[in-house]
Structure formats: structure tokens, C-alpha cells
Amino acid sequence: MSAALAPGAETYDVVVAGGGPAGCAAAIALAGAGRTVLLADAGTGPPKVGETLVPAGRVLLGDLGVADRVLGSGHLPCYGSLSAWGSADLHAVDFISDPHGHGWHLDRRLFDRRLRDASRAAGAEVAEGTVVRGTARRPDGGWTLALRGGTGPADAPGAGGERTVCCRWVIDATGRAAAIAVRCGARRWVRDRLAAHYAHLETDPRDTDRRSLVESDEDGWWYTAPQPSGRRLVAYFTDTDLSAAPYTAHHFHRRLSATRHVSRWTHRHGPPPAPPVTPRRAAAHTAHLDRVYGDSWTAAGDAAIAFDPLSSQGVLTALYTGMSAGLAVDAHLSRVHRGADSGLAVYAHKVEAARTAYLRGHRLVHAQEARWNHRTFWARRLADLPESPFWTQP
């Protein structure tokens, strides 16, 4: 679909759809390179919970020039992890020897808000609560975009309601939906059906352990970690098509009580609350796009590649792909290279290399748990299966 330049429409070099870590990293990189950038943050979807940033995240945030601003007070330090994986024994991994220091249990709302503030400080315009509702191609190869909701300059056409803008390039950082990339013809390949059932439990103030804990069972695995809110997150991960999924949803606390370590960690200062907290569900599947860039668009973050939370690489990968996408788009718009797509091709190679390393590590980690190889959840993760023959739609 093509459209002429809308009369009176504001024009940007790049519009970034999505105000999470990937979108903000892209906006900061582009604004820092002198590009005019609009960051459209929809602010919709389920809240991100229980996210941990590994120590190496400090390096990426430092490269963006925002480490001190983003990692200030409000987050909890994470000093390592505990796991009962491959045996009933508990094993510890500490960050004491990590050259980058400790990790963080993130307050994701605070983390994302500070990243958006850093985007503004870098020179990007940030439109809060704004979603890209329509896309149309222009004869010159750029885009006319219909935005809905949120904020913008007071004199902007449609500010606070509907608004039309034009740009040379769009970066899709809309999360697992990959709304713009799929609209442009990219296919979303989904490797599994992993989902999390999670709840926040009250904890005793004397519970000062800042490590996370993972414990496997016959149909999936448990995770618990302290939260900056003062509560403790508890989550169970299994595939949505297995019988354990509905059982967990209805008997979450009963199944939790049957664990050897997580139950002691969550109830160490008393019994679970009465009545029990009802768990919520969130997608946690592995997925990727068949291509991460096309004609005047690029995907970053979960829109490009989404990992199983067991990897603890979600936020780190979002920052990495967002920053890399921003730099690649800047180089492309500058025509620094003779080959028009060379910078974007390098970006695509980086994303594929990250995916390949993740899949190798994912299989190796699951192979360490051999107690339940006969169970469907574990057998699936040990099999070298081709990509699932389906993809999500926007």
C-alpha cells in the first residue's frame, strides 16, 4: 500500500515502535548519531515481571551511555543463582568472580521508564501510550504511519488522539507479536509452547537472600526470585498443550508445596497466604522471524528473536539487538557502504549468530536434566526437531 506525504505531517528519519529495552536502545543509538527519532511506546500488554539483568548488561548500558541513569536505586542486586537441575541437590553459582560485578532483579516498569527518559535526553521524541495503528508506503520508499493515543507536541496534529507522521525507516520493537514485521510479510516461527504460571507472594522482611532459584520437575521447571517490591516471584514453566498446564493453573500452590527447594524458599517464614494467590499466565516460548529486515523496516528485541527465560538473556538480548539495529539503520541511511544493505546484512548475521548460540546452549542445559527423559516436556527439548510449521499472526 502506498501513500503520498500527508499534508502537515511531521517527518522523522526513523520511527521506533515499542518503548521497551530494544526500542529504547535503538532510539538512543539513532538519536546519538544525529537522527530525528520518534519512539512510540504503546504501553500495552501484560506487565513484565521477574526479569533479571545479568552482569554483562552493565557493559551494553555503558555503551549506550545510560548505565548510571538506568541502574540506580530501585532495583535489587542479584548475587548469583541456585539450581536443583539434574539432581535433587542444590548447586550455587555466584557472581563474585564476574568482572562486571553483580546482576540485578529489575523493577521493569522503572527500568523501562528510565530508558525512555534516557531516550528523551539523547534527543528522541517519546510518545507515551502511543501505538502504530496503520502503515502505508510512500512513493519515495518511506512510510506514512497512523498513530493513536498518547502524547506528542502540543501543536502536533492529533496530539492526544490520532496523529499521522512520516519517516524514512521503521524499527519494529513491538515484542513477540512483531506486529509491523509480520504486516510487512515476515513470518514468525515458534519453536515451542512454553508458558509461565506466576504469582507474587508476600515475604518476611528477614528474607535478605538476593539469589534466584531454579528447580526442575517431571513436566517443566520452577523459578523464584526476590522482587524490588518486597515480594517474591514464583513461576512454573511448562508447555501449554501438556496436561500439567491446566493442572498447574488450578492447583498452583499444591504443586508448589510438592517441590523440594522452592517451597522451602517461598514459605521459609510461614505458610502460604490464605486464600492462595491466583496465578497469572505469560508467554515464554522461543521464537524468531524468518528475516529481521526488509524494505525500510528492521525488527529488534523479542520481535526479532525471543528466548526461553531459562537463558536469563532476554533483557540483555533486547538491548544488544536494539542498539545493533539502530546503528545498522543509521549506517544504511547514511549510505556509508557501497552495498546498500551491507550494514543490515551484518545486523541479520548478528541476530542469527545469537540465535544459534542460544539454541546450542538451550539444548545442552536441558540435556543436563536426565531424570525425566521419558516425559514429553523433556523429550521435546532433547530432540533435534525442525522448526515448528506454524507462525503467529499480528
Side-chain angles (χ1 to χ4, degrees), residues 15-25 27 38-43 116 130 132 171-175 180:
V15 170
V16 181
C24 290
L38 172 65
L39 177 64
D41 172 41
R116 290 192 292 272
T130 299
V132 178
I171 292 182
D172 184 347
T174 60
I180 294 173

Side-chain angles (χ1 to χ4, degrees), residues 22-38:
C24 290
I28 292 168
L30 284 160
R35 298 293 173 185
T36 55
V37 183
L38 172 65

Side-chain angles (χ1 to χ4, degrees), residues 56-68 70-71 319 323:
R58 186 190 296 275
V59 177
L60 282 175
L61 291 170
D63 290 343
L64 290 167
V66 301
D68 292 339
V70 173
L71 294 176
L319 292 169
M323 181 174 67

Side-chain angles (χ1 to χ4, degrees), residues 188-191 193 386-391:
R188 185 72 170 159
W189 293 98
V190 180
R191 190 174 181 85
R193 299 178 180 178
E387 305 295 346
S388 302
F390 59 92
W391 51 88

Side-chain angles (χ1 to χ4, degrees), residues 201 222 234 251-259 262-263 266-267:
L201 305 182
W222 288 89
V234 183
H251 303 283
F252 181 84
H253 292 276
R254 183 186 304 173
R255 189 167 188 129
L256 168 61
S257 296
T259 62
V262 175
S263 60
T266 55
H267 304 152

